[in-house]
Amino acid sequence: MTDDQLALTDPTKRFSHITPQRQQQSVPGQDARLNPSPDHGEESYRGTERLTGRKALITGGDSGIGAAVAIAFAREGADVALNYLPSEQVDADHVADIVRAEGRIAELIPGDIRERDFCAELVSQAAEALGGLDIVVNNAGHQIFTEDLEDLDDEQFDRTMKTNLYAMHWITRAALPHLQPGSTVINTTSVQAYKPSPILVDYATTKAGINGFTKGLAMQLAPRGIRVNAVAPGPIWTVLQVTDGQPQDKIEHFGENTALGRMGQPVELAPAYVFLASPESSYVVGETLNVNGGLPTP
Ligand code: NAD
Ligand code: MG
């Protein structure tokens, strides 16, 4: 944050209240076309050398929360490898420009993480380009709303499971041989893990699964000096919401049900990932850090 923003700031007013118009995009969408533009921290995130020399792989690092994490990590001194789908090159280039302007490496590795072989290649290419790996952020996600279970076909169910759960398993497993003690794995779950929407049954199932995966794996890897944690965002203004993540009529008032009364911006997630990646959180293991504007969770 800039000095102005570090001053006493009312969280209900840190960002102006936005009421986006209807705007449809097809999956995975382009952040560059989102209106209004989200804040990924391009101007607002200020680093304080908390990740100097670290080497991070971030999935879904082209846009939304992943883009904010990539920018913050670079400002904190880390090199990053970003994965995304090939159609998202414009967004990935935008993030890479900012990372490189910090003098950090941005290795761009497009490809589909629903494929196991690609997940293995992704990890080895990232480790090769960065000279190792010590942070893995499993952040890519697929979310399409479906009103009725009868309409939730196997193709969508499979896509949601593959993207949100299988890829997390494949990427983390492939990364393990690279992860020295002190390394961290951070998974993106969701408030949906605790408060599933009736129209997001498959998605909410994966997000609850991510919490289980995170806690179980955290117990397994802690003795090896590797910490595993998760971040659970609430309603955040990203392209996920306009690519059928929500019905269009929900977008305008998205986030108004939070205690802060507004949706969050991607940059507001970044400090949670920085905290969990850095040694400052050395005693935090198997935790899910909620960043949701005030939607109390268990
Ligand atoms: P986003 O669309 O900007 O990011 C999701 C990314 O997932 C895409 O950019 C894409 O690169 C990646 N992805 C999807 N399918 C892929 C595939 N098959 N192969 C490779 N990459 C793939 O939206 P976001 O909101 O920043 O989402 C990031 C994470 O945050 C997701 O896990 C999402 O479930 C989670 N989340 C978002 C919200 C929210 O309100 N926006 C709330 C809770 C959780
Ligand atoms: Mg994207």
Side-chain angles (χ1 to χ4, degrees):
M1 289 200 255
T2 59
D3 286 341
D4 279 356
Q5 285 162 326
L6 284 170
L8 195 62
T9 304
D10 179 347
T12 65
K13 302 198 175 70
R14 181 173 168 208
F15 294 95
S16 55
H17 187 75
I18 56 168
T19 51
Q21 303 297 302
R22 289 165 183 252
Q23 48 191 298
Q24 185 76 34
Q25 292 193 38
S26 54
V27 168
Q30 260 187 23
D31 231 336
R33 290 166 49 216
L34 202 55
N35 181 23
S37 291
D39 187 336
H40 308 104
E42 287 93 337
E43 308 297 330
S44 56
Y45 190 91
R46 188 182 70 172
T48 51
E49 300 180 350
R50 294 164 76 191
L51 300 174
T52 304
R54 299 287 298 273
K55 305 162 195 306
L57 168 61
I58 305 167
T59 64
D62 59 302
S63 58
I65 295 163
V69 172
I71 292 167
F73 278 15
R75 297 241 165 100
E76 297 289 353
D79 292 325
V80 298
L82 309 180
N83 164 252
Y84 49 91
L85 286 163
S87 64
E88 301 176 293
Q89 192 63 41
V90 171
D91 286 342
D93 286 338
H94 167 72
V95 177
D97 285 348
I98 296 168
V99 169
R100 290 169 187 152
E102 297 298 322
R104 310 310 319 181
I105 297 172
E107 175 75 3
L108 299 183
I109 315 176
D112 192 331
I113 59 171
R114 287 175 294 166
E115 292 166 21
R116 183 177 50 191
D117 290 350
F118 172 71
C119 288
E121 281 165 32
L122 167 64
V123 168
S124 49
Q125 192 181 327
E128 194 170 328
L130 305 184
L133 204 56
D134 52 48
I135 304 171
V136 178
V137 179
N138 288 303
N139 167 73
H142 182 67
Q143 173 186 333
I144 301 280
F145 80 91
T146 312
E147 302 277 354
D148 299 312
L149 197 66
E150 291 92 327
D151 297 326
L152 180 55
D153 59 26
D154 288 354
E155 196 183 338
Q156 178 180 325
F157 189 81
D158 192 61
R159 182 165 186 170
T160 310
M161 296 296 145
K162 285 268 161 53
T163 312
N164 298 7
L165 281 174
Y166 275 74
M168 186 169 287
H169 164 60
W170 288 329
I171 290 168
T172 310
R173 187 177 63 185
L176 272 179
H178 301 281
L179 301 182
Q180 303 298 314
S183 299
T184 48
V185 177
I186 307 166
N187 301 322
T188 303
T189 175
S190 169
V191 66
Q192 288 290 325
Y194 311 103
K195 287 181 186 284
S197 300
I199 59 172
L200 292 175
V201 169
D202 54 332
Y203 176 82
T205 301
T206 64
K207 294 300 178 176
I210 290 168
N211 271 344
F213 178 82
T214 300
K215 290 177 194 305
L217 191 65
M219 295 305 103
Q220 186 184 121
L221 296 183
R224 289 158 66 172
I226 301 167
R227 293 183 301 109
V228 185
N229 290 288
V231 176
I236 310 303
W237 181 230
T238 72
V239 76
L240 197 74
Q241 307 305 339
V242 306
T243 48
D244 284 330
Q246 301 287 340
Q248 285 282 318
D249 60 8
K250 292 244 170 84
I251 286 166
E252 197 180 347
H253 299 290
F254 191 52
E256 287 179 4
N257 63 331
T258 64
L260 291 181
R262 64 168 175 87
M263 58 185 101
Q265 292 291 334
V267 66
E268 296 183 280
L269 273 296
Y273 290 83
V274 170
F275 169 68
L276 292 173
S278 99
E280 290 171 335
S281 60
S282 54
Y283 209 53
V284 181
V285 174
E287 182 57 73
T288 299
L289 187 41
N290 294 283
V291 185
N292 63 26
L295 294 166
T297 59

